Amino acid sequence: MSTTIWVLIVILALVLGFVGGFFAARKYMESYLKKNPPINETMLKTMMLQMGQKPSEKKLHQMMNAMKSQGAKK
C-alpha cells in the first residue's frame, strides 16, 4: 500500500478512537454521578447550618427534590 493510504488509516483510527473514548467516558461519568451524587442531605444540612439557617426536614426535602429535578433537566 502507498504511504497516503496508511496515513489516512492512522488518522481515521485516531478520530474513531477519540470519538469512542469521549462517549465511553461520558457514559461512565453519568453512571458514576448517578451512583455517587455530589451532595446529600447531610451535606445540605451542614451547609444550611453554616449559613445560619435552621434546617427543617421539609425544607431539606424540598431542596433535595429541587436539585434532583434540576439535574434531570440536563
Side-chain angles (χ1 to χ4, degrees):
M1 283 196 210
S2 69
T3 307
T4 308
I5 293 175
W6 279 108
V7 170
L8 289 175
I9 290 173
V10 169
I11 290 173
L12 181 64
L14 284 172
V15 169
L16 289 175
F18 281 127
V19 170
F22 170 77
F23 285 109
R26 181 176 167 206
K27 179 88 171 161
Y28 171 77
M29 284 305 296
E30 285 176 353
S31 67
Y32 176 81
L33 289 174
K34 188 175 278 188
K35 291 176 188 174
N36 303 311
I39 192 164
N40 58 22
E41 288 188 18
T42 307
M43 294 170 72
L44 194 59
K45 186 175 182 177
T46 304
M47 288 188 330
M48 290 176 72
L49 285 171
Q50 288 176 347
M51 290 187 293
Q53 297 180 7
K54 177 96 169 121
S56 65
E57 288 296 317
K58 181 180 177 183
K59 185 148 188 157
L60 283 173
H61 289 297
Q62 284 177 342
M63 291 181 74
M64 286 301 294
N65 289 336
M67 293 174 79
K68 286 179 185 176
S69 68
Q70 184 180 19
K73 289 180 184 177
K74 292 181 180 179

